[in-house]
């Protein structure tokens, strides 16, 4: 099963993608997580990506596409994958289609997690991420058992550099301009599925399972 998660920054793509990956036993591939891991490890790619990410801009397509397509070659992708944060532009979607068509495959579902901008700005201020394992929490909606410490690995929790209110506003406008057109793109392909992302995380997931099947 090949799934794409669509939605604004903070809509809950990562939260839902992790649950999908666990239930359907497929890898969760997040380009944002890949870039953050590269930044943490001090790689050249990380340094380049950081310049754009800190401003709330998209990393150029040429730094993203090959990275993702190469990832599909890993053995864990045999049964499919859930893509979170990719594609994010029409050229990325076209490159993905081209790579899949070449091997006789295609995307099965593009799930759009719908959340209005006002809710997003509220959510981002409360998000916390673990420096150790990258797990995501929310101070109100998904708090950790011990304040400031990750439930999974005990690592410290931080506020992501790009979650500052000004940067979130930029990310939202970049989303509306460059990523939202993908909703039409996948609607035209007949594989779009819309879910309401404003309800409780578990209810969002139940709606997704209703689409993907048990
Ligand atoms: P990326 O990491 O993909 O960030 P994003 O799309 O901005 O999305 P987020 O991770 O911020 O939000 P999310 O939808 O995953 O929400 P989450 O589940 O965490 O990308 C970062 C940057 O990398 C980009 O800006 C760009 O520069 C670059 N990049 C990445 N991919 C790229 C690409 N393909 N091309 C070019 N550049 C690329 O949830 C948010 C918060 O809300 C959490 O605290 C969570 O606990 C909470 N929450 C989730 N669901 C609910 C709910 N139902 N109710 C209440 N709270 C909830
Ligand atoms: Mg995410």
């Amino acid at each position: 099963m090949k799934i794409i998660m669509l939605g604004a920054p903070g809509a809950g793509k990562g939260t839902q993608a992790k649950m999908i990956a666990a239930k359907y036993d497929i890898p969760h591939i997040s380009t944002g997580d890949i870039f953050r891991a590269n930044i943490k490890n001090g790689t050249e790619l990380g340094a380049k990506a950081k310049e754009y990410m800190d401003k709330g801009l998209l990393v150029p397509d040429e730094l993203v596409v090959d990275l993702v397509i190469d990832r599909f070659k890993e053995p864990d992708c045999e049964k499919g994958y859930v893509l979170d944060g990719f594609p994010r532009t029409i050229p990325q979607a076209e490159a993905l289609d081209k790579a899949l068509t070449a091997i006789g495959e295609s995307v099965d579902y593009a799930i759009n997690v719908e959340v209005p901008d006002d809710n997003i700005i509220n959510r981002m201020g409360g998000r916390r991420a673990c420096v150790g394992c990258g797990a995501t929490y929310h101070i109100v909606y998904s708090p950790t058992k011990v304040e400031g410490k990750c439930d999974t690995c005990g690592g410290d929790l931080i506020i992501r550099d790009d979650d500052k209110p000004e940067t979130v506003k930029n990310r939202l406008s970049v989303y509306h301009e460059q990523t939202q057109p993908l909703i039409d793109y996948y609607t035209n392909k007949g594989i779009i599925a819309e879910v309401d992302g404003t309800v409780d995380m578990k209810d969002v997931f139940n709606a997704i399972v209703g689409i993907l099947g048990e």
Side-chain angles (χ1 to χ4, degrees), residues 48-69:
K48 279 189 198 155
K50 191 171 169 26
E51 281 177 39
Y52 298 92
M53 290 169 77
D54 282 354
K55 295 183 191 130
L57 300 172
L58 294 186
V59 175
D61 289 339
E62 55 271 25
L63 293 182
V64 186
V65 171
D66 291 347
L67 183 92
V68 179
I69 310 268

Side-chain angles (χ1 to χ4, degrees), residues 13-14 30 36 84 127 160:
K13 300 182 296 296
S30 156
R36 281 184 289 277
D84 162 16
R127 175 163 60 183
R160 253 168 59 174

Side-chain angles (χ1 to χ4, degrees), residues 10-12 115 119-127 138 141 197-199:
V115 178
N119 295 38
I120 302 268
I121 294 170
N122 279 338
R123 265 189 203 181
M124 300 303 235
R127 175 163 60 183
H138 191 281
Y141 307 119
T198 62
V199 296

Side-chain angles (χ1 to χ4, degrees), residues 49-127:
K50 191 171 169 26
E51 281 177 39
Y52 298 92
M53 290 169 77
D54 282 354
K55 295 183 191 130
L57 300 172
L58 294 186
V59 175
D61 289 339
E62 55 271 25
L63 293 182
V64 186
V65 171
D66 291 347
L67 183 92
V68 179
I69 310 268
D70 278 349
R71 176 69 182 81
F72 297 160
K73 294 173 189 146
E74 301 289 327
D76 64 341
C77 289
E78 238 166 54
K79 285 202 296 177
Y81 34 77
V82 50
L83 295 178
D84 162 16
F86 180 91
R88 235 181 172 97
T89 62
I90 296 284
Q92 289 182 19
E94 288 170 347
L96 173 65
D97 277 345
K98 197 172 154 209
L100 289 178
T101 305
I103 52 169
E105 295 181 359
S106 60
V107 174
D108 300 298
Y109 298 95
I111 300 174
N112 183 36
V113 184
E114 269 275 327
V115 178
D117 287 9
D118 288 350
N119 295 38
I120 302 268
I121 294 170
N122 279 338
R123 265 189 203 181
M124 300 303 235
R127 175 163 60 183

Side-chain angles (χ1 to χ4, degrees), residues 156-208:
D156 289 329
L157 301 188
I158 51 152
I159 299 176
R160 253 168 59 174
D161 284 343
D162 58 350
D163 276 351
K164 295 181 201 101
E166 271 319 296
T167 316
V168 170
K169 282 189 192 137
N170 278 344
R171 286 163 63 198
L172 277 169
S173 64
V174 166
Y175 165 76
H176 289 301
E177 210 176 288
Q178 298 192 57
T179 309
Q180 210 171 14
L182 292 178
I183 298 173
D184 281 345
Y185 182 91
Y186 289 110
T187 301
N188 291 337
K189 289 189 176 288
I191 58 164
I192 199 89
E194 304 266 354
V195 293
D196 178 2
T198 62
V199 296
D200 187 88
M201 292 171 205
K202 290 191 193 74
D203 295 327
V204 181
F205 186 59
N206 287 338
I208 292 176

